[in-house]
Amino acid sequence: MSKKFKDFSEEEKNIYRQNMRHSAAHVMAEAVTKIFPKAKVTLGPPIKDGFYYDFDVEKPFTPENLKEITKLMQKIINKNSLFVGREVSKTEAFELVKDNQYKKEILESMENDSTVTFWSHSNGEFEDLCRGGHVNSTGEIKSFKLLSTAGAYWRGDENNRMLQRIYGTAWESKEALREYTNRIEEAEKRDHRKLGKSLNLFFFDPIAPASPFFLPNGTVILNELEKYVKDLYKLYEYKEVITPQIFNTELWKRSGHYENYLENMFFVSIDEKEFGVKPMNCPAAALVYASEIHSYRDLPLRLADFGRLHRNERSGVTHGLTRVRSFSQDDAHIFCKFDQIEAEIAKFLNMLNESYKTFKFDNIRFELSLRPEKRVGDDNTWNESEKILKNILDKNKYKYSMQSGEGAFYGPKIDAFVPDAIGREWQLGTVQLDFSLPERFDLEYVEEDGSRQKPVVIHRAMLGSLERFLGVLIEHLSGNFPTWLSPVQVIIIPITDKHLDYSCNVYKKFKSQNIRIEIDESNERMNAKIRNAQLRKIPYMFIIGDNEMSSNTVSVRTRNGEETNSISTEDILDKVNSEILNRF
């Protein structure tokens, strides 16, 4: 490495790290095959912040195995051997991998390649079918760590053999690795699945795989999220609709989902006819629009639908709340004229920014995805649409990048990405232009001159799936919800039983204001009650003893340890109400 890592551009750093991690995966495969001679290597790519390799072995790897593999990897790295690639014919390649059915299958999929490359490092003891992308030598893998093991089906297909995957990470320095492992530890503390259980928000049961059951606490939060969005809908002039859950398959054929989304849908038979369970709201929104005749005066028409959706996600990709099979989303479809697109999208991005600030998400980044190779609509329409989206981002001075070929087949789109409290980036909101839906459903409006014109459809979601958003929010806030979102906003802690009557009076006063309040009447000592309230992450604790009773006050303790002694109930009620009303 002729230039120091610190002097690299961000793009150069990313490429270097990717090559280093690819090299680390190669070294790991060599170590595994030396320790387990019967192991068959399959695929081992670099991934975000790390790498993995899948192996066909007799037994799953154990923590002790990982320690042994790590030691041997370090020995290989210390030799500082050069990485060397060689090009061979396909015929020779098949001979080299004749005992590995996985590598043979990879070669068979490389139909257009007359030659392929194998990589090793200069000791020549291990060679792997590989396209390349390595650092110069093993010694450039400065700091690495094997993280975990997991089962993984070959090619991600559950009909194939289960392999054993080892995940690892590699960095340019020990300091960088330490920073990363600290982030991982913090992420584990914030894991929404653990916090969801400890805070009694939701649970999963095999009786309904990847479909969450929301407990009362979790339901409070979901209802508050929905109420928040609906309040914005009133401000931004959306109209809510409710549409069915199940539609005859003819609808899904007409919309294109039967052709392009079949494997992700659930189907049922009713009266010997096939019906599909709704995976998204778009076709239903088209039917609502088509149910009436519309003139140019009706547009833009903003239709919002919180309907529950179901998608047949494969079990290997489901994950807590962030990838589920049953969910609802703040979905809406805007039917408008072509010359209204810019104003409507600008207005939506304003709403999106407003909402993200409410949830303490900063530094929003946008991605503008441009026309894919397979698309509908003529080039002039695409040119103008992409120009409109770019102009909106430029005028508002939003940070954004452009992704060629990543737009939807029906139009370009803007996706919103936000970093959470520990720097992980999440894609949340999206806004997409659609020229296909009006064509497929013969949607029209009557123009001022009496002619019939096709509207444009804007698909948009702000929070997206409420389930997924809640999972992200739990981890972002580490479960410390703001007062307006907290399932329990205030808990009263009487020091002894003689303070219960006064505590009940305070309880009634706050309950009458619709504050979510409880009294801890347990036999625990006061400090234990405070500790329990902190574990439940309740924003406010009211401590009530003799002084508070005699002065008609409460002593307030927040979950982060701040204390205010003997504050009047009116003053603290005003403060709590203000936080709820203003959502902070």
Side-chain angles (χ1 to χ4, degrees):
M1 188 167 56
S2 58
K3 188 164 66 169
K4 291 185 178 180
F5 183 84
K6 66 181 179 63
D7 297 324
F8 284 0
S9 67
E10 283 304 311
E11 184 179 2
E12 288 174 327
K13 287 179 180 178
N14 289 335
I15 292 171
Y16 184 80
R17 282 171 172 162
Q18 184 177 36
N19 290 343
M20 179 177 55
R21 289 160 184 163
H22 187 188
S23 302
H26 190 107
V27 170
M28 180 172 71
E30 178 178 355
V32 169
T33 54
K34 283 185 174 180
I35 297 169
F36 302 94
K38 293 183 179 180
K40 291 182 179 178
V41 295
T42 64
L43 289 171
I47 55 176
K48 179 176 170 57
D49 293 336
F51 60 89
Y52 71 79
Y53 215 118
D54 290 344
F55 303 94
D56 186 348
V57 288
E58 293 179 355
K59 298 178 181 178
F61 295 109
T62 66
E64 290 303 315
N65 293 151
L66 293 193
K67 291 178 182 178
E68 189 178 3
I69 295 166
T70 297
K71 287 181 181 178
L72 184 51
M73 285 179 67
Q74 192 61 59
K75 287 182 180 179
I76 296 168
I77 289 168
N78 290 344
K79 290 179 180 179
N80 197 25
S81 303
L82 294 176
F83 279 97
V84 180
R86 68 184 179 110
E87 193 174 86
V88 302
S89 68
K90 289 283 283 291
T91 302
E92 185 180 353
F94 273 109
E95 180 63 24
L96 290 169
V97 301
K98 63 183 180 182
D99 296 325
N100 187 324
Q101 70 269 33
Y102 305 103
K103 295 294 185 182
K104 287 195 289 186
E105 187 176 322
I106 294 170
L107 282 173
E108 288 166 358
S109 68
M110 299 164 67
E111 297 176 359
N112 299 325
D113 297 358
S114 58
T115 61
V116 296
T117 54
F118 280 74
W119 281 81
S120 64
H121 40 90
S122 54
N123 66 24
E125 295 178 20
F126 176 80
E127 191 174 46
D128 199 6
L129 173 65
C130 172
R131 292 189 184 276
H134 293 282
V135 288
N136 292 326
S137 66
T138 60
E140 289 190 39
I141 306 169
K142 296 297 184 184
S143 196
F144 77 95
K145 183 177 183 179
L146 300 188
L147 300 172
S148 62
T149 64
Y153 292 108
W154 168 240
R155 298 288 200 184
D157 186 341
E158 53 197 38
N159 295 313
N160 290 336
R161 179 170 171 78
M162 174 72 80
L163 306 174
Q164 294 302 312
R165 175 174 296 179
I166 300 178
Y167 286 100
T169 188
W171 295 83
E172 66 279 359
S173 67
K174 290 182 179 179
E175 292 76 18
L177 175 61
R178 191 180 304 113
E179 288 177 9
Y180 173 74
T181 53
N182 287 341
R183 290 201 306 271
I184 292 297
E185 289 172 5
E186 182 62 27
E188 289 176 355
K189 293 176 187 175
R190 293 168 177 262
D191 189 324
H192 73 276
R193 295 166 298 177
K194 294 179 181 177
L195 288 172
K197 182 176 181 179
S198 65
L199 297 176
N200 291 319
L201 302 180
F202 59 87
F203 69 91
F204 288 88
D205 192 288
I207 203 70
S211 300
F213 290 75
F214 283 95
L215 297 165
N217 284 349
T219 303
V220 167
I221 298 172
L222 280 183
N223 286 341
E224 287 293 337
L225 289 175
E226 189 169 320
K227 183 178 182 297
Y228 171 71
V229 173
K230 288 183 176 183
D231 285 348
L232 285 179
Y233 283 168
K234 293 173 187 175
L235 185 63
Y236 285 87
E237 298 181 304
Y238 282 76
K239 295 180 179 179
E240 275 196 81
V241 296
I242 298 173
T243 56
Q245 293 282 294
I246 301 173
F247 295 90
N248 188 289
T249 299
E250 292 305 312
L251 176 75
W252 304 114
K253 291 178 179 177
R254 187 177 183 184
S255 68
H257 288 88
Y258 201 83
E259 178 183 358
N260 299 300
Y261 207 72
L262 185 68
E263 68 278 6
N264 295 106
M265 293 180 63
F266 292 103
F267 292 92
V268 295
S269 179
I270 303 173
D271 297 332
E272 299 182 354
K273 293 181 180 178
E274 188 179 46
F275 286 73
V277 183
K278 184 170 62 174
M280 51 190 69
N281 292 311
C282 329
L287 292 180
V288 172
Y289 181 90
S291 67
E292 297 180 87
I293 297 173
H294 296 280
S295 85
Y296 68 96
R297 293 188 181 89
D298 300 324
L299 305 184
L301 178 62
R302 309 178 189 95
L303 298 179
D305 189 345
F306 267 102
R308 182 147 291 277
L309 307 176
H310 293 81
R311 296 180 186 173
N312 189 14
E313 302 282 6
R314 291 161 67 176
S315 57
V317 300
T318 57
H319 179 80
L321 293 181
T322 58
R323 197 74 176 266
V324 292
R325 290 176 177 161
S326 173
F327 62 96
S328 63
Q329 61 184 27
D330 64 331
D331 196 16
H333 297 83
I334 301 170
F335 299 84
C336 65
K337 298 167 60 177
F338 194 89
D339 62 8
Q340 294 173 328
I341 291 174
E342 183 170 352
E344 285 305 303
I345 292 180
K347 188 179 290 188
F348 168 67
L349 292 180
N350 285 338
M351 181 167 68
L352 181 145
N353 275 285
E354 182 180 342
S355 69
Y356 290 177
K357 287 177 184 176
T358 300
F359 296 105
K360 306 296 188 291
F361 286 117
D362 299 313
N363 300 317
I364 303 168
R365 179 180 69 82
F366 293 102
E367 212 168 72
L368 172 57
S369 297
L370 307 176
R371 72 193 74 184
E373 185 176 341
K374 293 183 179 181
R375 58 184 183 270
V376 298
D378 60 79
D379 286 345
N380 287 336
T381 303
W382 276 89
N383 290 340
E384 189 63 26
S385 301
E386 290 174 350
K387 181 180 177 182
I388 288 170
L389 296 189
K390 189 173 186 306
N391 284 343
I392 293 168
L393 294 168
D394 288 336
K395 282 182 182 178
N396 290 277
K397 298 181 180 179
Y398 291 129
K399 296 177 184 177
Y400 72 97
S401 57
M402 292 194 292
Q403 300 295 325
S404 297
E406 295 299 317
F409 73 89
Y410 47 74
K413 63 174 182 172
I414 298 171
D415 290 328
F417 294 80
V418 297
D420 66 12
I422 57 174
R424 298 169 302 179
E425 195 173 60
W426 301 88
Q427 191 268 310
L428 295 179
T430 186
V431 56
Q432 307 171 353
L433 292 182
D434 189 348
F435 312 114
S436 173
L437 201 69
E439 292 288 345
R440 287 180 177 269
F441 284 85
D442 297 322
L443 305 182
E444 295 179 331
Y445 69 92
V446 180
E447 189 49 278
E448 190 172 5
D449 61 5
S451 63
R452 292 184 176 271
Q453 304 292 332
K454 294 287 184 189
V456 177
V457 177
I458 299 173
H459 304 249
R460 44 104 301 169
M462 187 171 62
L463 307 184
S465 157
L466 294 189
E467 282 76 0
R468 181 175 180 275
F469 183 80
L470 178 55
V472 172
L473 191 63
I474 290 171
E475 298 193 8
H476 177 53
L477 301 174
S478 196
N480 293 304
F481 296 105
T483 305
W484 69 275
L485 265 182
S486 293
V488 178
Q489 296 161 325
V490 177
I491 187 164
I492 300 174
I493 299 176
I495 294 176
T496 68
D497 285 350
K498 71 177 181 178
H499 306 119
L500 269 176
D501 286 345
Y502 178 70
S503 295
C504 287
N505 290 334
V506 174
Y507 171 88
K508 290 175 183 177
K509 184 173 186 174
F510 278 72
K511 192 72 173 177
S512 69
Q513 296 283 312
N514 294 317
I515 308 293
R516 295 189 288 273
I517 187 169
E518 293 180 358
I519 302 177
D520 186 343
E521 299 185 52
S522 67
N523 293 323
E524 298 276 4
R525 292 180 176 274
M526 183 185 71
N527 286 340
K529 292 181 180 182
I530 290 172
R531 176 62 177 158
N532 289 338
Q534 288 175 324
L535 290 174
R536 294 175 64 189
K537 299 183 181 289
I538 297 172
Y540 286 102
M541 291 158 265
F542 292 174
I543 314 299
I544 293 178
D546 290 342
N547 289 339
E548 289 75 24
M549 281 181 58
S550 61
S551 59
N552 198 30
T553 62
V554 296
S555 287
V556 177
R557 184 185 178 100
T558 65
R559 64 185 161 207
N560 60 11
E562 295 176 0
E563 296 183 41
T564 306
N565 293 324
S566 300
I567 182 172
S568 73
T569 54
E570 287 77 14
D571 287 346
I572 190 61
L573 179 58
D574 287 344
K575 178 176 172 57
V576 173
N577 268 329
S578 176
E579 291 183 10
I580 294 169
L581 180 64
N582 296 297
R583 293 190 169 109
F584 64 80

